[in-house]
Amino acid sequence: MNNGINNDPGNGVDRRGFLRLAGLGGVIFASGLSGWAAAADSMGVAGAEDFFFVQLSDTHWGFEGDVNPDAKGTLQKAVATVNGLEQVPDFIVFTGDLTHTTDDPRERRQRLAQFRDIVAALKVKTVYYMPGEHDAALDNGKAYQEFFGKTHYTFDHKGVHFIVLDNVTDPAARIGDEQLAWLAADLKQQPADARIVVFTHRPLFDLYPQWDWATRDGAKAVELLMPYSNVTVFYGHIHQENHHMTGHIAHHSAKSLIFPLPAPGSQPKRTPLAWDAAHPYQGLGVRTVKPEPRPRNTEYTLNELAVGAAKS
Amino acid sequence: MSVNTNDKKVDAKRRLLLAGCAAGGLGVMAIAVAQPKDRVIKVTAKRFDFSPSVIPLKRGVPVILELTSLDIPMGFNAPDFGVRADMVPGKVAKLRFIPDKTGEFTFYCDIFCGSGHESMSGSLVVT
Ligand SMILES: [Cu+2]
């Protein structure tokens, strides 16, 4: 927690301040974590309304390569990190690419099974999953669904309506008309000021199509969400932090748990950033997300935790 | 179309006649005459490569890309020019556009095709 920046009891954090805070991308170490509860208290957050969840993304179980010499151990470290949080999250959400691509359907299932077994060690038992294109695009989500069920769904938690959208099981990166109709029908049941959080794997907007960082019909989903005053999107796929607004809708990406990728368009090819032995796990991490207390509940405070930053 | 010299005008008229004979329809004829200079470039895709991967183009000169895949369905997407097409084995997709700016622009495969898809891209070099 960036103490002194965001726990001003009078002002909370306005959007610009919030984005500036999130943009720091700071690695938040365990020593600061104990501040959460106190800060929430001083902000007058009603216990029942306040909650935390943790976003984990792009674990790519099965990946091997120099860019992460600890590819077989990073996911376990992330699990330990989350288990070590002083403030227990209400739930965990994995925003896709649980496993790394394989052409072999048997190997794909083996990786999904190993992933499931490793994350079973999470102390928080409410875990939401969604596929990434590496899990699901080559077999249209068949193997993924055997292990984790539906690829798009909704759930509600403490007054927030969560929508998990699938923009990856179609290898052409489409949400598809059927799912868009489903989304429209779901949104119709929500009041215009409902607190809505959307999880996707790919960005819904054209972040950098040249690197396939887009959703072909993502604009249609954004259009459906537009009439709602209180929408935030969390996604994965790009292996780094990024913040973007489409109108009043904020989109936040998560770091990955396998290797960081370069900033959009910052180099000719989208090759992963090299492992830095002097700073292991740099650019990899876990994100905790905390909604701002009412009436500022359109906003979320994001905290990045380095892999291995467990409670000391 | 813009034809400036008399010679070209004659040439165009002659072609107009020929196209008229061959097609026997005014609409088709007009199209045939309007695109006498289109360059045709064949592009093939296979996991996880485009060939050619560097395509030289001239600004303002229309080009037709003839796209096909040798193995599985892929996509050809050049976002800087707002064009894309599916590349399907056994079929040829024709993509016509006129590059309106110079520079080097990425095209990429936009249908996930396996481990290596991420590096499947090439460039349009427009001079
Ligand atoms: Cu491809």
Side-chain angles (χ1 to χ4, degrees):
Chain A
M1 163 127 223
N2 287 277
N3 286 311
I5 296 181
N6 90 9
N7 59 358
D8 174 349
N11 298 323
V13 185
D14 65 12
R15 183 174 292 281
R16 207 195 269 152
F18 154 70
L19 286 174
R20 196 165 54 232
L21 170 71
L24 291 174
V27 171
I28 313 302
F29 290 98
S31 59
L33 292 178
S34 54
W36 287 358
D41 246 24
S42 68
M43 289 161 100
V45 181
E49 285 294 327
D50 190 29
F51 68 93
F52 293 82
F53 64 91
V54 172
Q55 181 185 6
L56 298 152
S57 203
D58 296 84
T59 55
H60 286 258
W61 184 254
F63 172 86
E64 284 176 45
D66 296 343
V67 290
N68 187 344
D70 186 34
K72 295 228 174 312
T74 303
L75 177 56
Q76 293 88 329
K77 285 187 176 68
V79 168
T81 303
V82 174
N83 283 343
L85 291 174
E86 206 163 292
Q87 176 98 17
V88 178
D90 287 39
F91 62 87
I92 316 283
V93 58
F94 280 91
T95 44
D97 282 351
L98 316 177
T99 61
H100 197 63
T101 307
T102 167
D103 289 329
D104 179 354
R106 253 185 46 207
E107 175 68 16
R108 182 174 304 124
R109 285 170 175 80
Q110 208 169 342
R111 290 181 186 182
L112 286 163
Q114 287 167 349
F115 169 88
R116 182 195 53 195
D117 293 347
I118 294 164
V119 303
L122 282 165
K123 282 188 203 156
V124 180
K125 288 305 168 198
T126 306
V127 184
Y128 297 99
Y129 300 94
M130 59 191 295
E133 80 281 7
H134 283 258
D135 306 299
L138 292 183
D139 67 359
N140 292 104
K142 198 170 174 295
Y144 174 88
Q145 287 173 57
E146 288 168 22
F147 285 83
F148 297 108
K150 284 186 177 160
T151 61
H152 65 278
Y153 52 91
T154 65
F155 61 94
D156 292 278
H157 186 79
K158 293 189 178 171
V160 178
H161 186 60
F162 291 89
I163 302 172
V164 175
L165 278 184
D166 169 10
N167 53 6
V168 299
T169 63
D170 178 345
R174 271 183 294 239
I175 300 165
D177 291 343
E178 204 177 308
Q179 195 185 168
L180 285 166
W182 167 86
L183 173 65
D186 177 71
L187 288 172
K188 241 180 216 137
Q189 296 168 25
Q190 299 294 325
D193 65 346
R195 302 170 74 188
I196 295 169
V197 171
V198 179
F199 294 123
T200 63
H201 179 66
R202 293 165 167 273
L204 287 179
F205 61 97
D206 277 359
L207 172 59
Y208 198 62
Q210 289 85 342
W211 286 356
D212 210 6
W213 289 355
T215 299
R216 206 181 291 180
D217 53 2
K220 289 185 183 172
V222 171
E223 199 183 309
L224 289 173
L225 292 162
M226 241 12 179
Y228 297 85
S229 58
N230 194 344
V231 179
T232 307
V233 183
F234 294 101
Y235 67 100
H237 191 53
I238 68 163
H239 295 210
Q240 66 197 280
E241 209 184 312
N242 189 285
H243 306 280
H244 180 84
M245 304 294 293
T246 55
H248 62 280
I249 300 174
H251 304 252
H252 307 290
S253 66
K255 291 177 182 177
S256 114
L257 288 171
I258 196 67
F259 52 74
L261 285 167
S266 60
Q267 54 184 56
K269 293 266 179 190
R270 176 189 29 183
T271 41
L273 302 181
W275 179 264
D276 180 351
H279 304 95
Y281 310 104
Q282 191 173 44
L284 309 181
V286 175
R287 151 175 296 174
T288 64
V289 183
K290 178 184 176 299
E292 292 299 313
R294 289 175 186 279
R296 290 186 178 275
N297 52 27
T298 57
E299 288 157 13
Y300 296 79
T301 304
L302 311 180
N303 285 307
E304 300 287 339
L305 301 163
V307 173
K311 184 180 168 185
S312 52
Chain B
M1 67 181 275
S2 60
V3 178
N4 299 321
T5 67
N6 283 334
D7 276 354
K8 272 189 187 161
K9 238 176 227 165
V10 172
D11 194 44
K13 261 183 202 155
R14 196 182 300 141
R15 247 184 283 131
L16 201 85
L17 275 171
L18 288 172
C21 293
L26 214 80
V28 177
M29 193 172 65
I31 291 166
V33 175
Q35 307 179 349
K37 293 262 171 89
D38 286 2
R39 276 182 68 205
V40 176
I41 298 172
K42 292 182 194 310
V43 181
T44 56
K46 69 179 196 315
R47 304 171 96 198
F48 303 98
D49 285 299
F50 287 106
S51 179
S53 62
V54 177
I55 303 176
L57 299 174
K58 291 273 181 228
R59 182 181 163 182
V61 178
V63 63
I64 294 175
L65 301 179
E66 292 188 350
L67 307 158
T68 192
S69 169
L70 301 178
D71 41 29
I72 60 165
M74 309 266 191
F76 178 98
N77 193 328
D80 296 286
F81 300 102
V83 292
R84 80 159 303 280
D86 291 324
M87 301 177 84
V88 181
K91 286 187 188 167
V92 176
K94 294 189 183 185
L95 195 60
R96 181 181 189 273
F97 67 102
I98 305 172
D100 58 355
K101 54 197 166 211
T102 58
E104 195 174 334
F105 306 96
T106 299
F107 64 87
Y108 72 102
C109 171
D110 68 359
I111 296 182
F112 188 82
C113 56
S115 204
H117 165 78
E118 277 91 353
S119 60
M120 190 167 167
S121 62
S123 52
L124 303 172
V125 180
V126 186
T127 51

